[in-house]
């Protein structure tokens, strides 16, 4: 460690002799941070931490879920008399907290772009207002998702079991909230909400994906749905289905191409069974079914039934 | 929003001008709830929330785990002198809390069926009594599961590492508790416990599955075991194994068939390697091994070794 | 239950009549514990619980993450003026807490081996000192991992989004901390940290695996990397990739072989796409790419492009 | 310890040798409990704990305070748009929690009196309904108390400082809630609420005391107001004032007389300065002032100014 | 309840029939609030809650105490190596939190005065900067207070016992922090801090009081020290001592006079014993002692020893 | 601040410019600490914080109270079946925690005395063992205290109300626990426990005081009982009673005399009314009563009734 480092916050020599050599580790960590910030073209950071908080978002989503489904995801002592009070108070807290997170993201976007930030507060308010106004509509969509799960799984005993237990519902609930924020200008928060669901369920839906009514994912672990995927109404997926991009696509200068449509379009009433891999900007026509473990990289017309060909197992006996 | 909606809890006009238009959002959410309840054939809900709580169940399972394995999953300051006191007190709290949850589920079942509920409290007590009485036997089963994991994984260093670290053990532990509740009349609680494990481990075992002694799942992410699966003794699974139903099976009127046996029977001493998919009410004979990624939809006799046929990769070089 | 059991902590007869028959359940659970301890060749346990705590480790890792990336994973009110104070104080608490956990593991190792424990405290201090001293270097490695993720994913908008959101980064962060402890003599803690990440991300990296700079796992759910795997620099993996051992390998006496190199070597600049399975001590040469779902059990030279052969799907129409 | 004790829950002999001799202490504590219950004429206690909880009451009072003064004692993020939602939701939770505590008290009363308990739930509901209905009126009373404090203390800067800071206000707030419960049949809860304020402020007002509008206690530590005291409007007290009973009053059989009026009547517009002691069922006439440290055991007519007579200090010099 | 009330947030008729008549109670509470705000000359409150929080201040004071006395009031795992890191990080958090509270108070002051608020943020920063800069000096003062307590109480065994246990020290510690804020323009926060100590100790020191070095209060319950009191160095008080204002002083228009010096001046090295009452702007000369229960309303010269005259008790025997 | 200070942990110049000048404040606080440690004759502190924790003691006392009175101060869900389990487990945790605190105190005592500490752990174990063994006896004493309160207060409705509500009982409960520790060698912990009660109740009983059976303090605020006071059986005190030392007693060299008997002896069946002050090593004979506000500094024989003489008030009328 050279002198310029120690010039930072250098402890007296004897303090270096502490059990953990804390002062030394702290100084070297500072060097590492400075090196990173330099590589990123960042100067001193005059303000404080400017990134949204995963924990704050988790609480916001939890509160919004309670407000959407008060009798099922709200507090245990709720009764109909107090439902609206609970919903109103909970939403208010959640929206205020969301406003703070949106402002953090907008500030971050602006810092990155090195532009002025004149109307930032107002933009954040608009995003949250849109979010609030969208909630009743989202509730309706989610009711259809629950019905789809109930009808789609022979093991489901009631619509309430579906809402309480099914990871697929949890993932869609997060997605619909995240997609709303993604569309209105808070893609980082949207991504963080998507990852909250991913961590809980193993279902990885990019918040950019557009998903129609009555969507159901059963079991779900390992499902991946890409940013530009488009999914119609009444679509059903099983575990480990990938709606991904074809890889190796690069721009002329060799770097990966960003932003362009590169994930599948899945039309209405399609079922895709476990482990199927669907790659690229292809279209799966309305009403098709894609069998388990199928590997599909080209479009199929409506009403197709795609299964693995040549699947054989070899059986030996001792 | 029409007038009849506003008749609900309509704020004064000026309050509508608030930052989040809360009163309006609350009113529209109420409309959405009412619409859902009407679709579900439900009238006013005079009582309060009647569904069990995921958080409460998580605490109950945590406490029961401590009571089952006090020196390894119990509190850090436990010593042998105080073991029984800890176990007794912890169980008592957990069983009382479980009783409350069981009553919620029974109430819910009854409401749904629109029947009388004369002896409901007593039925709940019986379910919890059976649960308590089953715990010593479950502890013995779990000890065998731990031994199976220890012997089945070359990376395992000790039986205690297995209990503390292995997601497969966590999943089986939850399953054996959940299955007990499933059998004695609390299938919703059972499902919720199963999903607690699913969220932690990526292993999705339906609580209805019947699983014999010495069961081990290694790595585990993506494993799915269906409701009517039957698994013998000393069976070993790896990640992403599916013991599922063959799809497309519907009843005459076109809806999915519910309840019938539709998942595999796996006999004693079978090993199923990662990614294998076993579908339908088939039987895998005792002592068989199913290779990685195998797709299997018909029964195999005891002692079979099933592997993928025709698996080839194409290697190009630049 | 026989008399010798009741001799333990037998309640008066009338207490047996309690609602949960607690005294009886407690006594039978004690019998089950005694039986297990006997099978494990353990006598009475004079001391208390001696195993590390998952919750304690989770807090330690959380604190270390904050100390490594204070402005992004630290507290919301942090500013540059207070960064070093935060880092120093947080590290100190985390290292002291880690010391306690390391001592628990060392005690456990020694008990198991029935050897003396003369210098145990000092060994624990050394392990933690090494851990502390390694942190600045790990920060540098992780910065490269973040850059690799940013460059490797078309959907990534900023390096900070990557650090905050990507489960692959979370998994690698845990792995690099765990691997440090694995190398210096705390393999149980290492494993527990790895499982913390596994539970969050569905990515299962054994702490023994050696992984080079600029490592990136996209989506990640279902990835398994075995204990003796060796991964070079700038390697990229997708979800559900397995770097595993070939199974059926046993020692002469029929038990599974432990400890020997049995997982793949992946050289620099390799990409392995989703669902690929790579098994055994084979080598994937530098710069190769392994396609989705490929099943690979033999080495390939540098620059290979491996894809599934004969992959066909059968398309039917109604 | 004799055999009959050990017959309770006697541990095996070797367990007695534990570090804390826990089993022995537990057994002796049980003997002590049994002895007490016998002295109290109580048999076995078949149910569980039947007494209200101080912690639960503290939370209820905290919530009710927030509902009464949402902008000053409510949550920091409250705005006028959401005030009613907050008030309604908070009240609902608090009233439900209060209902549970009232039922505990009623059960306890009934057990003590060994009577039937047919309509107990309904009585509890009525008590809580009365409490809820009384709140708006109590808010008005408390506003007057705040104004009285503001006008009565030269150091007061604003009415809001008074509400936030003055222990006298805190005590009166608790008293007015407690008195409501005292009047409607929950004297134990009332007493517990009074003691919450006593612990915070050093002001001990029995919930039975009747206190008029515009009441102010300055500083307050050491104030004692007895059960049957009656206080008019606009009365002001300072620290260490006692409105107590004359002692030595006993019934014919020598035991202390219970329940009869035995504390002072203080008419409107009286001021009582610090340390004054007013004892017995006397009347302090309207508009009187009682000086510091005065000892008063007989009634005084309206407009009296009572001071210590013969108060002299002796001053020596070195 | 008239129509104009219901125009607020009137629920549908049937909701009025709920168990707690919540909608009705909420509406009537709103009427009570509106009535209060009208009496206070306040209009609609467009913003949110603007008052500081007692809980937030309690945490700030707790943190500052730790930073002042890290080895005695700081965290248990602190070692000398990490002392400065802890102090710096803790201070930073506490000062940031204090800044938020100071801004709330300044906003409140300004609203009250209906003036502009141009430089409010900067004024708040200055107040907190002054507070931070004063801390080292306050630590020195407090060390002297601790020494005074140690030397003044025969029961004190060590200086550390004094710091940890003595309510008098707790009160002085709070006072010295509160007085700093009182002097620099945050009198409401100052008062709230004083009341935190009052609630803990029964010692009521107005934050405006000026108190010299080496101040000690023994036992302390019931001590009251007024806003304009001035206390010299090495003064010692016992429980229930009042340094108060003479009452009945009013301005010409009959209201109580505010702000003028009205409490005693106590010169250096004075001792005042338990229960003594000292009233008015009098001076107790240097080195005097005031005996227990003395009532003093005129100045005494240096070196006076004041005791109760004519104190006699009457002893009867049965 | 001179250079030698900055040599400590001196930040780079630009960091001094931070908003709070943190580095500077931290450095000056270190100087203040060093100055104090030097004045106290202390060198560097190689270990960590060695003082017991108030919070830890509060939890221990809370747990012990629950173990002593499980059905009244224990958890709400306790039933007779689980009483002993709760008591045993709770005691075990509390005793282990107490052991840690006792070790801190013993270490502190030894450091102060600069002696060796060979058997310190064993001494701590003995103190806790004695504490545990004393608990059943203390429960019996406390039952008598509760009965005394019930019989002594006309407002008491049941023995359980007394235990739950009366601050006098809370104070005696803490005292009896504290006195046990005081006697067996942990006077600092004893004092801290006494101050926990003092803060809650305003009753300040030094843990050294010896107090007989059936003791009752009514209201209690302001009571002070000194270290060497001796109180017989069935004694009753009211608020603001002082059993103190006569002041001005000093040793020959002018410092205050420590440790000698200096507080009153109160024999059996004495009643002391509110505000009475009893000072010095005098004896109040059995069965005496001391009236309110009496000032007593000489012994009185058994059966005395002491009242204020010459108490007159002057009454003026407007």
């Amino acid at each position: 460690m050279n002198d310029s480092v120690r010039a930072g916050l250098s402890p007296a020599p004897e303090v270096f002799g502490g059990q953990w050599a804390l002062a030394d580790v702290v100084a070297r960590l500072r060097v590492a941070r400075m090196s990173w910030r330099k590589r990123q073209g960042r100067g001193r950071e005059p303000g404080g931490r400017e990134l949204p908080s995963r924990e704050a978002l988790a609480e916001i989503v939890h509160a919004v879920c309670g407000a959407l489904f008060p009798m099922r995801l709200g507090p245990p002592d709720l009764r109909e008399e107090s439902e609206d009070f609970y919903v109103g108070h909970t939403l208010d807290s959640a929206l205020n907290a969301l406003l703070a997170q949106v402002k953090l993201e907008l500030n971050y976007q602006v810092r990155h772009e090195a532009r002025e930030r004149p109307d930032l507060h107002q933009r954040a308010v608009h995003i949250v207002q849109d979010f609030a106004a969208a909630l009743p509509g989202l509730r309706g969509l989610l009711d259809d998702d629950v019905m789809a799960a109930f009808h789609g799984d022979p093991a489901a005993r009631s619509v309430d079991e579906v809402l309480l237990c099914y990871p697929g519902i949890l993932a869609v609930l997060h997605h619909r909230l995240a997609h709303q924020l993604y569309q209105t200008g808070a893609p980082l928060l949207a991504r963080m909400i998507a990852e909250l669901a991913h961590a809980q369920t193993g279902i990885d839906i990019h918040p950019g994906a557009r998903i129609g009514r009555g969507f159901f994912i059963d079991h779900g672990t390992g499902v991946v749905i890409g940013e530009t995927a488009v999914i119609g109404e009444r679509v059903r997926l099983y575990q480990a289905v990938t709606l991904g991009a074809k890889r190796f696509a690069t721009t002329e200068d060799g770097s990966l191409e960003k932003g362009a449509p590169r994930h599948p379009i899945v039309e209405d009433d399609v079922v895709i069974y476990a482990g199927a891999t669907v790659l690229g900007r292809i279209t799966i026509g309305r009403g098709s079914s894609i069998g388990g473990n199928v590997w599909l990289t080209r479009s199929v017309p409506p009403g197709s039934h795609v299964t693995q060909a040549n699947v054989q197992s070899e059986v030996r006996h001792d």
Side-chain angles (χ1 to χ4, degrees), chain A:
Chain A
M1 195 176 58
N2 62 26
D3 283 357
S4 67
V5 172
R6 297 217 176 177
L9 189 70
S10 57
E14 74 274 17
V15 178
F16 268 103
Q19 190 166 28
W20 308 135
L22 266 186
D24 181 57
V25 175
V26 168
R28 289 198 290 128
L29 281 170
R30 188 177 55 247
V31 173
R33 287 198 305 273
M34 295 306 165
S35 159
W36 164 259
R37 288 173 191 167
K38 201 169 174 184
R39 283 163 72 188
Q40 297 298 317
R42 298 182 185 175
R44 309 285 313 281
E45 312 221 3
R49 172 179 157 169
E50 75 284 341
L51 289 166
S53 150
R54 183 188 184 90
E55 286 77 20
L57 274 176
E59 287 182 23
I60 290 165
V61 170
H62 184 78
V64 170
C65 289
L68 286 172
F69 300 96
M71 279 295 178
R72 287 174 282 175
L73 303 181
D77 61 354
L78 205 62
R79 288 163 308 106
E80 194 164 6
E81 179 185 5
S82 53
E83 227 176 343
D84 279 348
F85 291 119
Y86 163 74
V87 169
H89 174 54
T90 302
L91 267 189
D92 184 56
S93 292
L95 296 174
N96 290 338
L98 180 59
L99 179 62
Q101 298 298 315
V102 171
K103 282 160 97 170
L104 285 171
E105 171 161 3
L106 295 188
N107 262 310
Y108 175 74
Q109 290 173 8
V110 164
R111 184 190 78 147
H112 220 61
E113 300 166 5
R115 289 191 294 112
E116 289 286 303
R117 61 185 80 185
D119 59 344
L120 197 134
H121 173 79
Q122 203 48 47
R123 277 174 56 204
V125 168
H126 282 318
I127 290 173
V128 178
Q129 283 172 335
D130 288 350
F131 183 82
L135 289 175
L138 292 182
R139 160 76 200 233
L141 279 177
L142 290 164
D143 284 341
D144 283 1
D145 296 327
V146 167
M147 289 307 296
F150 178 64
H151 290 310
D153 179 12
R157 289 162 182 262
S158 77
V159 287
D160 298 319
E161 178 186 4
V162 164
L163 182 61
L164 254 71
C165 300
Y166 278 45
I169 290 295
L170 192 73
V172 175
L173 207 167
H174 280 74
H175 174 72
R176 298 211 183 276
L177 299 177
H179 185 61
Q180 167 67 26
L181 291 170
Y182 179 90
Q183 284 181 303
T184 55
L188 179 54
L189 296 183
R191 182 66 188 258
M192 292 171 84
I193 290 174
E195 286 299 334
L196 288 173
H198 188 188
Q200 278 283 313
T201 64
I203 299 171
D204 182 353
I205 310 178
H206 195 286
R210 282 153 48 201
I211 301 181
R213 300 189 87 85
F215 183 58
F216 174 45
I217 303 174
D218 202 1
H219 306 301
T221 310
V223 164
V224 175
I225 301 176
E227 183 177 17
T228 63
V230 180
I231 297 177
E233 305 202 341
R234 293 170 304 279
V235 168
R236 201 158 85 231
L237 305 187
Y238 290 84
Q239 70 268 24
V241 164
T242 295
L243 304 181
K246 255 190 218 158
R247 296 296 164 172
F248 305 113
T250 52
T251 59
E252 293 193 355
D253 67 347
S255 68
L256 291 173
E257 193 176 359
K258 297 208 176 200
R262 60 195 183 280
H263 302 97
I265 295 168
V266 179
E267 295 184 347
D268 297 349
D269 299 303
V270 167
V271 182
I272 308 182
Y273 288 99
T277 304
V278 184
L279 301 178
R281 190 55 161 192
I282 64 174
T283 296
I284 301 183
R286 155 189 293 259
S288 295
S289 72
I290 311 298
N293 282 8
V294 161
W295 176 273
L296 190 66
T297 57
R298 55 195 167 80
S299 294
V300 296
S304 302
H305 298 285
V306 186
T307 55
Q308 293 178 285
N310 302 328
V311 176
Q312 298 178 1
S313 0
E314 187 174 57
V315 182
R316 278 185 305 111
H317 297 275
D318 294 323

